[in-house]
Amino acid sequence: MALTAHDIMAIHQLLALHGHLVDDRELHRLDELFTPDAVYDVTAMGQGVVRGIEEFRALSESFADDARNPIGHHVTNIVVTEGAGSGATVRSKGIGVLRDGRTGSVIYDDRVTRTPAGWRITARQVLPSRGQ
């Protein structure tokens, strides 16, 4: 499947929405980001693998007031590559702003797929940026 400019823009919007929903604690809207069975791999960040929206929601709620949890999630440097079938792979960088003003950076490696409701993340691996 060839990606159109519309597909690429919709995927950019999808990744941008993640930061808004998480930062605004609109976790009831996670189905706008992920497929129901999405895999969120934060093993490299010491959190293991989260499977499905409900598990991701529970982890996010339990981590929401933790000082290590960024109050601002910013996604940048988004690169979309065609994948097999109705999917694509996406690599981006995340910048997190902590409560005390410190910042950190991660790499997001995503698999996304086109669903009847629009593009959704089916798998995300979060990796520390080099040097961290």
Side-chain angles (χ1 to χ4, degrees):
M1 168 198 76
L3 294 173
T4 66
H6 177 76
D7 290 324
I8 293 169
M9 183 57 72
I11 293 167
H12 275 249
Q13 290 287 92
L14 173 68
L15 270 61
L17 183 59
H18 173 262
H20 291 285
L21 295 185
V22 172
D23 293 347
D24 294 341
R25 295 188 181 177
E26 293 190 51
L27 302 176
H28 62 281
R29 295 178 56 196
L30 290 177
D31 62 331
E32 295 176 38
L33 299 174
F34 300 105
T35 58
D37 59 347
V39 175
Y40 200 96
D41 184 352
V42 282
T43 304
M45 307 302 288
Q47 299 293 320
V49 177
V50 179
R51 298 184 188 284
I53 290 175
E54 293 307 317
E55 193 173 325
F56 181 76
R57 183 177 290 122
L59 176 67
S60 296
E61 288 172 350
S62 71
F63 199 62
D65 293 321
D66 189 305
R68 297 169 296 165
N69 188 34
I71 58 170
H73 293 78
H74 307 279
V75 180
T76 185
N77 299 61
I78 299 169
V79 178
V80 180
T81 306
E82 281 185 35
S86 62
T89 60
V90 186
R91 183 161 236 220
S92 60
K93 294 186 177 192
I95 301 168
V97 179
L98 301 176
R99 287 171 175 80
D100 64 5
R102 290 181 299 133
T103 59
S105 181
V106 297
I107 296 167
Y108 295 125
D109 280 330
D110 296 325
R111 284 194 324 261
V112 298
T113 191
R114 185 188 332 231
T115 73
W119 286 94
R120 297 294 185 266
I121 299 168
T122 60
R124 169 170 277 182
Q125 183 179 28
V126 183
L127 303 166
S129 292
R130 208 175 325 168
Q132 289 189 18

